């Protein structure tokens, strides 16, 4: 297919052509729908300011809907000669509609087109990630509630330290994921600004209505400065991947714990047989390999993050082709995190504690600190109590673990985990994320059908 910039004077060298399309040959396939949505909003705006006649807008809408139909049937895939998805969409419209197709690119550039495509892609993916993350947190809270009073040794330096509980362990991860949710939310907000109208990086000498476009696309508002809009390419992706990397850090820690606690040495938890794999040589093996992969993939996402930030560092302002190289690590990060969350949720849902093994592991030395505090309550200074217990560890009396768990009554301790508040927070946020995802999908369906609609933002920056 012809390039948008070809003037018929020279033909691009084939080696350079293939090198330049690079990853876009595959990754731009994910931007077909966003590119169509951006084009629909842009065309409506062009009609509103009189650049397009109403019937021209109708024709463009029909052409763009046709692309969505073809895409849904797998008939709109990138081909080697297509420079990028923006070129493919415009070429299709020109072939179908002639001169009307040639008007759609008025007042825009592929530079702001790719920006808006990525923002729309990210809007959906961030909400999908929030839902997956909160579903995983919900599984952890359920597990924590169910086994709130199951005693479990707590470790520091990987050595038995003090009495803890399965509820404390699982609740800790639920809380960690809720923090990660806040990071995803922050990334969502930073991504939620429409860059369309910034064009190549410097706007256009036409009275375009950027707010109308932002409203039609369901953004919170317009990303104001045209040059900053372009300079935020990759920066926003970097911020999203930073949040995603935090999610992976949480999952990798959880994965490590699950692997450790399911070994025959610990034997604290069992994972369903439907989730474990075997060995081709050792008949007895049950491998929790999906958790090993989650652990490894945390590093992979950190690597993607490094790729994105590395491409950005020191780039001069305005569009640079280097940005294209951030697309693959960005989209791969999103896919990796979504897959890791789904697998972790399934694993947590199948975990079964072995209460007998857990209790047997709660050996008397776990209560050494408790004993010292008993002496403190009798008026012995802590350092003296510490020494007294430290030299008579073999004399520690047996303790009722469950009762001891209940005695830890201060906020956040095993007897007062606040699991109900956590459950409420997860449920509330999950419902909100699902509602937001439905809302944005609905908003975009209206854009496709041409229904008038209110903007979703009304914000200013
Ligand atoms: N595929 C390009 C990218 O991802 C789209 C923008 C192309 N712009 C240009 N001036 N060549 O960055």
């Amino acid at each position: 297919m012809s390039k948008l910039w070809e003037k018929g004077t020279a033909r691009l060298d084939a080696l350079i052509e293939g090198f330049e399309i690079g990853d876009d040959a595959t990754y731009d396939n994910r931007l077909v729908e966003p590119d169509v949505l951006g084009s629909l909003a842009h065309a409506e705006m062009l009609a509103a300011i009189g650049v397009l006649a109403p019937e021209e807008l109708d024709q463009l809408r029909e052409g763009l809907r046709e692309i969505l139909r073809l895409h849904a049937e797998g008939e709109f895939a990138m081909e080697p000669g297509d420079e990028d998805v923006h070129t493919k969409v415009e070429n299709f419209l020109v072939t179908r509609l002639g001169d009307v197709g040639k008007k759609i690119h008025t007042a825009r550039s592929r530079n702001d087109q790719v920006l808006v495509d990525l923002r729309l892609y990210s809007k959906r993916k961030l909400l999908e990630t929030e839902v997956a993350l909160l579903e995983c947190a919900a599984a952890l809270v359920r597990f924590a509630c169910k086994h709130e009073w199951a005693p479990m040794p707590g470790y520091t330096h990987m050595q038995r330290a003090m009495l803890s509980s399965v509820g404390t362990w699982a609740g800790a991860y639920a809380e960690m994921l809720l923090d990660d949710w806040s990071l995803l939310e922050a990334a969502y907000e930073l991504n939620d600004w429409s860059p369309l109208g910034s064009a190549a990086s410097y706007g256009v000498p036409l009275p375009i209505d950027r707010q109308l476009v932002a409203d039609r696309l369901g953004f919170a508002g317009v990303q104001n400065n045209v040059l900053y809009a372009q300079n935020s390419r990759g920066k926003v992706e970097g911020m999203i991947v930073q949040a995603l990397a935090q999610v992976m850090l949480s999952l990798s820690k959880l994965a490590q714990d699950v692997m450790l606690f399911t070994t025959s040495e610990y034997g604290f938890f069992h994972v369903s047989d439907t989730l474990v794999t075997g060995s081709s040589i050792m008949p007895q093996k049950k491998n929790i390999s999906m958790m090993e992969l989650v652990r490894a993939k945390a590093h992979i996402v950190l690597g993607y993050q490094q790729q994105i930030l590395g491409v950005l560092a020191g780039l001069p302002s305005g569009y640079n082709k280097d940005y294209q190289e951030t697309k693959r690590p960005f989209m791969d990060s999103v896919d990796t995190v979504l897959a890791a969350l789904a697998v972790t949720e399934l694993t947590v849902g199948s975990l079964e504690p072995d209460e007998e093994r857990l209790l047997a592991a709660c050996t008397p030395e776990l209560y050494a600190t408790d004993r010292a505090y008993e002496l403190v309550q009798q008026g012995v200074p802590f350092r003296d109590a510490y020494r007294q217990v430290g030299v008579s560890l073999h004399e520690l009396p047996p303790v009722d673990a469950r009762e001891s768990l209940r005695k830890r009554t201060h906020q956040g301790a095993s007897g007062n985990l606040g699991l109900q508040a956590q459950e409420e927070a997860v449920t509330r946020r999950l419902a909100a994320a699902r509602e937001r995802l439905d809302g944005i999908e609905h908003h975009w369906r209206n854009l496709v059908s041409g229904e008038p609609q209110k903007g979703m933002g009304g914000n200013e920056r």
Side-chain angles (χ1 to χ4, degrees), residues 100-164:
V100 178
K102 293 184 194 160
K103 291 188 178 179
I104 182 89
H105 210 56
T106 316
R108 76 175 183 188
S109 153
R110 284 178 299 160
N111 299 354
D112 63 342
Q113 240 181 303
V114 65
L115 276 175
V116 81
D117 290 6
L118 287 164
R119 299 273 158 93
L120 294 172
Y121 167 88
S122 302
K123 247 169 114 69
R124 177 185 277 146
K125 289 294 173 187
L126 273 167
L127 291 175
E128 284 175 10
T129 308
E130 282 191 19
V131 168
L133 175 121
L134 291 164
E135 281 171 348
C136 194
L140 282 159
V141 177
R142 273 196 300 277
F143 184 73
C145 289
K146 190 159 168 208
H147 307 289
E148 185 169 0
W149 302 110
M152 174 178 179
Y155 295 83
T156 68
H157 307 264
M158 291 191 78
Q159 308 290 332
R160 279 187 197 163
M162 286 180 77
L163 180 69
S164 181

Side-chain angles (χ1 to χ4, degrees), residues 425-438:
V426 171
T427 310
R428 198 174 53 244
R429 288 172 196 180
L430 186 54
R434 286 194 179 125
E435 200 178 307
R436 214 143 156 224
L437 187 56
D438 285 351

Side-chain angles (χ1 to χ4, degrees), residues 24 84 86 110-111 114 233 319 324 327:
D24 278 7
D84 49 35
H86 330 293
R110 284 178 299 160
N111 299 354
V114 65
R233 172 93 188 265
Y319 176 80
Q324 186 171 297
K327 211 179 278 172

Side-chain angles (χ1 to χ4, degrees), residues 172-249:
Y173 280 106
E175 226 166 283
M176 188 183 258
L177 290 185
L178 284 173
D179 271 1
D180 295 335
W181 171 85
S182 301
L183 292 173
L184 290 172
E185 269 291 294
Y188 185 91
E189 275 182 33
L190 289 160
N191 176 69
D192 202 14
W193 303 93
S194 174
L196 263 188
S198 59
S201 304
Y202 301 98
V204 289
L206 278 180
I208 55 172
D209 185 346
R210 297 186 65 200
Q211 185 65 51
L212 187 155
V213 174
D215 288 344
R216 291 302 273 153
L217 289 171
F219 283 111
V222 171
Q223 194 175 16
N224 180 56
N225 183 299
V226 285
L227 181 56
Y228 176 56
Q230 192 55 59
N231 288 351
S232 66
R233 172 93 188 265
K235 187 172 169 71
V236 172
E237 290 90 313
M239 294 189 277
I240 296 171
V241 173
Q242 265 160 348
L244 296 177
Q246 285 292 338
V247 175
M248 288 308 290
L249 288 184

